[in-house]
Amino acid sequence: MGGEATVVVDAAPGYDETHRTTLEEVAWGASRPGRVWRVQPLCETPPMAREFTKVGVIGLGTMGAGIVEVFARNGIDVVAVEVTDEAVERGRGVLQHSTDRAVTRGKLTPEDQTALHARVQFTSDMADLKECQLVVEAVPEHLDLKKDIFAKLDAIVSDDAILATNTSSLPVTEIAVATINPKRVVGMHFFNPAPVLQFVEVIKTVITSDEIFEDVKALAERLGKKPVIVGDKAGFIANALLFGYLNHAVAMFESKYATREDIDAAMKLGCGYPMGPLALMDLIGLDTAYEILDTMYKQGRDRLHAPSPIIKQMVSAGLKGRKSGRGFYTYAAPGSSAVVDDALTPTAAAGSTAGTRPVRTVGVVGSGTMATGMVEVFAKAGLDVTFVARSEAKVEAVRAALAKSLEKAVQRGKATEEERDAALGHVRGTTRLEDLAQVDLVVEAVVEDLSVKRALFENLDEICRPDAILATTTSSLPVVECAAATKRPQDVVGMHFFNPAQVMKLVEVVHTVSTADDVVATVQALCATVGKHAVTCGDRAGFIVNALLFPYLNDAVKMLEANYSTADDIDTAMKTGCGLPMGPFELLDVVGLDVSLAIERELYLEFRERGYAPAPLLEHLVTAGYLGRKTGRGFRTYA
């Protein structure tokens, strides 16, 4: 036992936690001449993370070339491998283009660019990977192809070299067992563009050696990345959450519920996402997206991951997104990011087929934050606004909040004193609904209770003149229920502002089966007048934004509930890997867990999808009174 190697035979199957080996590995070693399995001495000090000086990358598409750049930028020599000399040259061109852009933008000096390229050896011969301490494959998402590559690497690299896969959805374990020594195989999933995005998912299988895993995690940190540790589950963290959302957006487009432009604008403007879901699908590639969704569905059998039929149809037709020049959008050329008009592009003429009604005076019912914001929006646009609150005290509170908001705008240079005074001059407060008798349009922003809203619409129907438009800013309740409470359902429409209304650009214009075309056109025009971007959709639970957002948030809660990852790591994955402004648990705590649960219940009742059923953990937190920031505790605890 004095520090010399000792072989311990354990009759139990599985890992020996001291020596990190298995009986199966001993058998593999015995069957492979020339392979000597090192047994760690019992009292050996755990080694420091190894220093990588030379790595290999197989596959030089956009992702592979990006990974090459990441390593070379950090002073590591890289052997970059492609299948043919022509593919090698294309990969060299991708790297050249990327570093040229970095130089142009001042992110890289010409001298550093020259040094970076000098560290890269391009080749079509895998044998050149012989001296690499780590090899990362970044080939297309086909399991047989990856397994074949890993099996070949066994005969090329040294016994202590690490083999990593950049797969975004395939089981790392299945790739690992194609090798002689599966414990040295790990997932190292970069995100596109790899030189820019900080997030890396490090995937540890049940076979992966702890030492190998720690080496790869330390390397990711050395590269300036934020590694998140996950198990070998379809989609890992980011793709498991992202692609369900993308697939839902595709289904929404396929059913003609909303246009591609409105779906994408809704998620960019309503949630602050860097790209809309359909534009993101084009960037990823529809063929890649199909493979990821299909793999996730086959592993998890979640119907929400079953690829929407239109994806396969488009891939079969060669419409793969930016790479082919056409996907959900049409591009100037294959590989271009410039969107050009096509047959689906909306035109000004198409939007003017229905007439509009004049809107010069507006009524707002409610005195909360949303109602106050809408009053400010309309008043700043020069419309005369009458708002109705339940008491004189609430009327004065709205006036005070409005004056404070406008004064802040003046102090920040976003408005002049004259504009402030003009806006205040357009506003009148009252406690009487009857004072709305002559307005052109009324928007209600009262409590999200259907019985309250229906009673209000009955009153407005009796009070307002016959051609007035009645709108609700509900975020989840059926607009048609409000319309059915009136004798003028053709004049009722949804006008869903986002909070804070004076800041957020998006308004969802929601038409029911009864809403007249000129009412929709009028509200769309009014949104443009007050500086908002209108997106139009049918009267379905969640409309566009909440219908796409909250199933994704619910999936995140289920992932946490299953102990697959932590709230911090899931938030990090979605912020740094997908560029979202907030992680799902940050957002849930801000929105309020009770509000989120109510919306998810509405979605489940509407669509009856098992995957939309609210996660039990969310139900339990709400029952316990942990509602997020407003109560000081939700998924996190606040001071």
Side-chain angles (χ1 to χ4, degrees):
M1 301 293 287
E4 296 182 356
T6 304
V7 176
V8 177
V9 178
D10 187 347
Y15 282 119
D16 177 305
E17 292 299 326
T18 303
H19 300 287
R20 308 307 306 163
T21 188
T22 64
L23 298 179
E24 289 88 349
E25 288 168 1
V26 172
W28 282 327
S31 67
R32 304 277 179 157
R35 295 281 178 173
V36 179
W37 298 100
R38 176 180 180 275
V39 183
Q40 181 177 314
L42 292 181
C43 59
E44 180 177 305
T45 303
M48 299 288 289
R50 78 173 79 180
E51 186 70 19
F52 293 91
T53 58
K54 190 171 188 177
V55 303
V57 176
I58 303 176
L60 301 179
T62 303
M63 177 59 77
I67 296 171
V68 169
E69 183 177 340
V70 169
F71 285 128
R73 274 178 179 258
N74 285 274
I76 300 173
D77 292 336
V78 187
V79 178
V81 182
E82 256 293 1
V83 66
T84 64
D85 291 339
E86 292 77 12
V88 167
E89 289 308 309
R90 285 196 297 271
R92 191 195 302 271
V94 173
L95 180 62
Q96 185 68 50
H97 177 68
S98 177
T99 56
D100 284 346
R101 289 179 60 191
V103 171
T104 301
R105 295 177 177 181
K107 303 289 180 69
L108 196 66
T109 67
E111 295 75 19
D112 287 341
Q113 181 188 30
T114 301
L116 185 156
H117 283 272
R119 295 188 192 103
V120 182
Q121 173 192 349
F122 289 94
T123 180
S124 58
D125 187 354
M126 284 182 61
D128 291 333
L129 296 167
K130 182 178 180 180
E131 297 178 358
C132 292
Q133 299 141 330
L134 165 75
V135 179
V136 180
E137 69 78 14
V139 302
E141 289 285 271
H142 300 297
L143 183 60
D144 289 342
L145 173 61
K146 292 180 186 285
K147 289 172 71 174
D148 181 62
I149 287 172
F150 274 70
K152 288 177 180 176
L153 285 172
D154 263 331
I156 296 171
V157 300
S158 63
D159 291 345
D160 63 349
I162 298 173
L163 305 182
T165 173
N166 185 58
T167 182
S168 58
S169 60
L170 296 174
V172 178
T173 304
E174 285 200 43
I175 297 170
V177 297
T179 70
I180 297 170
N181 183 9
K183 69 178 182 180
R184 66 166 168 178
V185 177
V186 69
M188 195 175 188
H189 179 214
F190 290 81
F191 284 71
N192 198 21
V196 176
L197 292 183
Q198 291 183 302
F199 182 56
V200 172
E201 287 175 321
V202 181
I203 301 98
K204 182 180 181 182
T205 74
V206 293
I207 311 170
T208 309
S209 157
D210 285 345
E211 183 180 337
I212 297 294
F213 172 74
E214 292 298 334
D215 286 342
V216 172
K217 178 184 173 185
L219 174 62
E221 292 169 344
R222 172 187 164 186
L223 298 174
K225 303 298 183 182
K226 293 181 179 178
V228 166
I229 314 310
V230 295
D232 189 16
K233 174 186 174 183
F236 313 131
I237 295 177
N239 282 353
L241 297 180
L242 176 66
F243 276 86
Y245 152 72
L246 295 178
N247 199 36
H248 190 182
V250 172
M252 190 177 278
F253 169 75
E254 186 175 17
S255 67
K256 296 182 171 57
Y257 176 68
T259 67
R260 62 188 181 184
E261 286 84 2
D262 280 356
I263 292 170
D264 279 356
M267 299 313 291
K268 289 171 65 179
L269 298 175
C271 297
Y273 286 7
M275 295 183 74
L278 301 179
L280 181 55
M281 286 284 285
D282 277 357
L283 175 62
I284 292 168
L286 272 64
D287 52 342
T288 302
Y290 180 84
E291 292 292 340
I292 292 172
L293 283 166
D294 190 50
T295 299
M296 289 169 57
Y297 174 71
K298 286 175 179 174
Q299 289 192 41
R301 298 297 175 183
D302 185 339
R303 206 184 74 81
L304 299 178
H305 290 152
S308 294
I310 194 174
I311 302 176
K312 188 170 185 179
Q313 294 165 20
M314 292 175 73
V315 171
S316 299
L319 310 180
K320 299 180 181 180
R322 285 191 190 181
K323 66 176 79 173
S324 66
R326 188 175 170 194
F328 289 103
Y329 296 90
T330 301
Y331 299 88
S336 171
S337 62
V339 176
V340 298
D341 289 351
D342 58 20
L344 297 181
T345 303
T347 62
S352 61
T353 53
T356 60
R357 305 181 189 183
V359 178
R360 301 183 185 88
T361 57
V362 176
V364 175
V365 181
S367 58
T369 303
M370 181 62 78
T372 304
M374 289 192 299
V375 170
E376 181 176 339
V377 167
F378 291 130
K380 287 196 295 188
L383 299 170
D384 289 329
V385 186
T386 300
F387 72 87
V388 180
R390 286 190 294 178
S391 66
E392 286 296 340
K394 289 186 180 293
V395 169
E396 291 305 315
V398 172
R399 286 199 183 105
L402 180 61
K404 180 179 179 181
S405 178
L406 291 169
E407 179 58 31
K408 286 175 66 177
V410 171
Q411 292 178 7
R412 294 178 179 179
K414 296 182 178 180
T416 65
E417 293 183 359
E418 292 75 15
E419 289 170 336
R420 175 200 62 197
D421 295 342
L424 290 171
H426 284 295
V427 178
R428 173 195 174 205
T430 179
T431 59
R432 291 165 30 91
L433 284 174
E434 289 77 8
D435 291 335
L436 302 176
Q438 297 304 312
V439 300
D440 299 316
L441 178 144
V442 179
V443 187
E444 67 78 17
V446 299
V447 65
E448 284 285 273
D449 183 312
L450 188 56
S451 61
V452 174
K453 290 183 187 288
R454 282 179 59 88
L456 174 60
F457 271 78
E458 286 182 25
N459 282 322
L460 293 174
D461 185 35
E462 296 171 0
I463 292 168
C464 296
R465 67 169 196 258
D467 60 342
I469 295 173
L470 308 182
T472 171
T473 194
T474 181
S475 61
S476 59
L477 298 175
V479 177
V480 72
E481 291 280 0
C482 297
T486 73
K487 296 181 177 66
R488 57 172 99 184
Q490 72 279 1
D491 295 332
V492 178
V493 68
M495 196 175 182
H496 178 214
F497 285 79
F498 285 72
N499 196 27
Q502 54 271 64
V503 175
M504 300 293 282
K505 297 285 289 183
L506 183 69
V507 175
E508 289 177 316
V509 178
V510 185
H511 55 81
T512 73
V513 293
S514 304
T515 308
D517 290 344
D518 68 327
V519 169
V520 174
T522 299
V523 174
Q524 290 171 331
L526 176 61
C527 289
T529 298
V530 301
K532 300 299 181 185
H533 184 108
V535 298
T536 307
C537 61
D539 184 22
R540 209 166 72 179
F543 312 137
I544 298 175
V545 173
N546 284 351
L548 293 179
L549 176 64
F550 279 90
Y552 146 73
L553 296 176
N554 197 41
D555 283 347
V557 178
K558 291 177 181 178
M559 185 177 283
L560 178 67
E561 191 174 51
N563 295 312
Y564 179 66
S565 191
T566 66
D568 287 344
D569 279 354
I570 294 170
D571 278 355
T572 297
M574 301 314 293
K575 287 194 296 183
T576 60
C578 300
L580 305 188
M582 299 181 77
F585 298 105
E586 289 178 273
L587 183 56
L588 282 162
D589 277 356
V590 168
V591 171
L593 273 60
D594 52 339
V595 174
S596 302
L597 179 59
I599 293 172
E600 288 176 11
R601 284 173 172 167
E602 287 292 330
L603 289 170
Y604 180 54
L605 287 173
E606 178 92 350
F607 296 104
R608 304 301 171 98
E609 283 281 4
R610 185 175 66 178
Y612 286 177
L617 175 59
L618 182 62
E619 301 257 15
H620 296 165
L621 289 169
V622 172
T623 301
Y626 302 149
L627 308 182
R629 289 190 183 179
K630 59 188 170 188
T631 61
R633 182 172 175 184
F635 286 99
R636 294 183 175 87
T637 301
Y638 301 88

